[in-house]
Amino acid sequence: MSGSGFWKTLETLSPDGSVPLRQALDEIPWNADGLIPAIAQQYDTKEVLMLAWMNREALQETLENGRVCYWSRSRQQLWRKGESSGQVQELREARFDCDGDTLLLLVDQTGPACHTGRRDCFYNLVQGDRLVVDKPVLIDPETLYK
């Protein structure tokens, strides 16, 4: 059972059916850069906070430590959420989508999730023929990243 066959097999499992996590990690269809998209959602309010990328090392660190770690594509290094801003994400639950190519991370976000100082990264709202900024800056980025 490899690749998409692995994820296809999971479709047939009944609730409480399981497979070893290590096997699932081996079967993730990483993209050409060895990454998988990860959506961070506030666990209690269900607010979608951000989308980032994880490589296997970031995912394993997150699962082992409970503090969310991503892969920074711009810096080409691990990015432990909040390491410079203090606005950390504690993992509450991790879920894969049906074909294993996207992660949903239910997190407890401390303060703003966005580097702009806003609560989430989705503050640009399409309204008709306009793009409207609909959320305030909670913490000035200059203060966040001192």
Side-chain angles (χ1 to χ4, degrees):
M1 183 171 34
S2 67
S4 63
F6 171 83
W7 298 98
K8 198 80 166 146
T9 299
L10 292 179
E11 293 176 17
T12 65
L13 295 182
S14 57
D16 294 325
S18 69
V19 297
L21 178 59
R22 182 178 177 152
Q23 184 180 5
L25 296 179
D26 289 342
E27 299 296 341
I28 292 173
W30 306 100
N31 73 10
D33 296 321
L35 303 173
I36 185 172
I39 300 164
Q41 182 178 37
Q42 179 63 32
Y43 82 99
D44 51 357
T45 65
K46 304 304 182 209
E47 175 185 20
V48 177
L49 300 170
M50 57 181 279
L51 172 110
W53 296 86
M54 290 182 145
N55 63 7
R56 186 170 181 141
E57 184 180 1
L59 177 54
Q60 287 181 301
E61 180 176 315
T62 297
L63 295 174
E64 289 170 11
N65 299 334
R67 182 166 168 196
V68 180
C69 177
Y70 298 106
W71 177 256
S72 172
R73 294 179 301 164
S74 59
R75 294 178 298 211
Q76 292 293 295
Q77 65 183 33
L78 290 175
W79 160 37
R80 291 162 186 91
K81 183 70 173 151
E83 65 191 343
S84 57
S85 69
Q87 310 303 304
V88 301
Q89 290 178 350
E90 294 294 333
L91 183 67
R92 293 295 183 102
E93 185 174 293
R95 293 177 172 267
F96 285 94
D97 73 344
C98 57
D99 52 6
D101 66 0
T102 304
L103 278 167
L104 175 62
L105 304 174
L106 298 178
V107 302
D108 191 8
Q109 172 70 48
T110 302
C114 185
H115 75 281
T116 66
R118 291 177 173 86
R119 174 66 179 163
D120 66 72
C121 297
F122 299 99
Y123 57 86
N124 294 306
L125 174 66
V126 176
Q127 280 188 335
D129 65 349
R130 309 287 300 172
L131 189 61
V132 179
V133 173
D134 74 341
K135 294 178 183 156
V137 171
L138 302 176
I139 301 175
D140 184 298
E142 294 292 322
T143 303
L144 254 181
Y145 296 103
K146 276 188 173 178

